[in-house]
Amino acid sequence: MKNLIKIINESLDEYMPIIYPEEIFKAMKYTLMLPGKRLRPVMCLETARILGCDIKKVLPSACAIEMLHVQSLIHDDLPCMDNDDFRRGKPSNHKVFGEANAILAGDALLTFAPQLIIEKSTDLSATQIVRIIHEFTKFGGAYGLIAGQVVDIESEGGKLVKSPEETLDFIHLNKTAVLFRLAVRIGAIAAGADDSVTNEFDVFAKKFGLAFQIYDDIMDEISSFEELGKTTGKDKASGKLTYVSLYGLESAKKKFNYLINDCYDIIDKYNSEIFNEILDKLKTRIES
Ligand code: GRG
């Protein structure tokens, strides 16, 4: 895993130039190069690898997914959204570059990412690139990430169209699981996997995404700024709808365990050290 993270960090650094007008490229690169866990690009590369594809082929797409993720973090931290002053252990993008440049940096990352896929995926076929761009734009837009964020904001204002349980799952299938789905699906497309294999990884990523969000909610409650690199305890203080507030800490842990055990079962036949390492890390932290 460390080796993959090193490759991803070096590639992100190489792909993102600092050119005129420097302020926007600096703002884009600032949050991008802070030490995130790189889970989404790692999962993209590892899916491609276990399905028989050279990871070099999918590296531009894996980095593009991290750019999309970072864009969502920059915008999520803005005062008009979650209003967070810290991200990845450092001041949020708008705290360093101002609100206007943080909005523009997010927008620029969102458009830079597909540009990167098209320009750098020289070892993929045109059909594969079109399929990847299709999934990227669909999952990153109003059919995915934005839908999750909108319902999240609505629910904070007390507007629930569905039950709290359905609303919470809708929010996190779209806000969180969607980028893990995108990561494994792009890995599978690059490897030329058939639909049944792609769907198997998709089911894995949906379950992983929900488990990851429950983990995130539990950590917000029991962890510290030093461990997470972002403000903690905000969800509880603001009365936000979370897996912990809806089910309670113990039931949230049980739900996490069901989902993570399903993930182990789905991925078992691939003998992937990396997927097992990711699952083990989350499970161990929840059990400690
Ligand atoms: C796509 C235009 C457009 C807008 C996005 C702001 C927004 C709409 C969506 C918010 C999505 C969001 C911030 C979801 C939270 C998901 C989550 C648990 C993030 C934390 O992921 P980690 O822990 O973070 O992997 P690191 O920093 O390690 O990468």
Side-chain angles (χ1 to χ4, degrees):
M1 179 121 169
K2 264 192 187 156
N3 190 33
L4 278 190
I5 293 175
K6 186 167 177 282
I7 294 171
I8 291 161
N9 286 338
E10 286 170 359
S11 305
L12 287 170
D13 191 28
E14 183 196 318
Y15 290 144
M16 181 59 67
I18 300 285
I19 54 172
Y20 181 79
E22 289 185 5
E23 196 63 5
I24 189 64
F25 287 97
K26 279 187 187 160
M28 291 160 80
K29 204 159 183 172
Y30 170 71
T31 312
L32 186 64
M33 296 315 295
L34 290 177
K37 293 182 283 300
R38 310 296 189 214
L39 279 177
R40 296 148 192 87
V42 163
M43 285 167 74
C44 178
L45 297 179
E46 181 60 0
T47 303
R49 190 195 68 77
I50 58 185
L51 295 177
C53 172
D54 182 343
I55 63 165
K56 278 197 203 118
K57 287 189 182 181
V58 76
L59 203 45
S61 297
C63 290
I65 296 167
E66 182 68 10
M67 289 174 188
L68 173 59
H69 168 58
V70 167
Q71 174 274 326
S72 75
L73 300 178
I74 294 173
H75 282 185
D76 196 53
D77 291 338
L78 287 167
C80 62
M81 301 251 184
D82 245 16
N83 194 18
D84 259 309
D85 290 353
F86 293 94
R87 175 63 68 178
R88 294 179 163 176
K90 294 279 180 216
S92 309
N93 202 283
H94 64 275
K95 285 279 156 190
V96 179
F97 296 93
E99 269 183 62
N101 274 336
I103 292 170
L104 291 168
D107 293 346
L109 281 166
L110 195 58
T111 49
F112 187 91
Q115 177 189 342
L116 176 71
I117 297 174
I118 292 166
E119 285 179 4
K120 302 284 183 189
S121 303
T122 44
D123 294 326
L124 295 179
S125 71
T127 307
Q128 283 172 314
I129 294 174
V130 170
R131 283 186 64 197
I132 289 172
I133 295 291
H134 178 226
E135 302 241 341
F136 187 95
T137 48
K138 192 171 164 185
F139 286 36
Y143 283 86
L145 212 43
I146 293 177
Q149 182 75 347
V150 166
V151 177
D152 194 12
I153 292 169
E154 280 181 1
S155 78
E156 276 177 35
K159 186 177 164 196
L160 292 193
V161 175
K162 301 175 184 214
S163 71
E165 290 80 5
E166 283 175 306
T167 306
L168 198 55
D169 280 350
F170 180 91
I171 291 170
H172 296 302
L173 278 171
N174 285 285
K175 270 186 76 166
T176 305
V178 80
L179 290 191
F180 294 114
R181 291 179 63 204
L182 182 64
V184 299
R185 291 180 68 89
I186 289 182
I189 292 170
D194 64 30
D195 286 352
S196 68
V197 173
T198 308
N199 285 338
E200 190 180 32
F201 276 88
D202 197 332
V203 172
F204 170 86
K206 273 188 198 161
K207 287 178 185 279
F208 178 82
L210 289 182
F212 187 75
Q213 186 59 50
I214 298 173
Y215 170 89
D216 201 65
D217 288 352
I218 294 174
M219 286 300 125
D220 185 74
E221 184 115 345
I222 67 168
S223 191
S224 64
F225 176 84
E226 286 67 32
E227 187 182 356
L228 299 186
K230 59 181 181 181
T231 323
T232 54
K234 265 185 75 189
D235 292 347
K236 196 174 187 178
S238 65
K240 194 176 161 113
L241 180 63
T242 70
Y243 284 102
V244 177
S245 71
L246 190 61
Y247 296 103
L249 191 56
E250 285 316 308
S251 297
K253 282 186 182 177
K254 266 191 196 151
K255 200 168 158 66
F256 167 86
N257 273 323
Y258 281 133
L259 289 162
I260 223 77
N261 288 338
D262 282 354
C263 289
Y264 278 114
D265 288 346
I266 296 171
I267 216 70
D268 185 48
K269 65 179 175 213
Y270 294 105
N271 285 323
S272 162
E273 259 181 44
I274 286 184
F275 275 119
N276 280 317
E277 192 182 332
I278 293 171
L279 297 174
D280 289 350
K281 266 194 188 147
L282 296 188
K283 202 170 155 78
T284 310
R285 183 63 186 89
I286 288 295
E287 279 165 359
S288 67

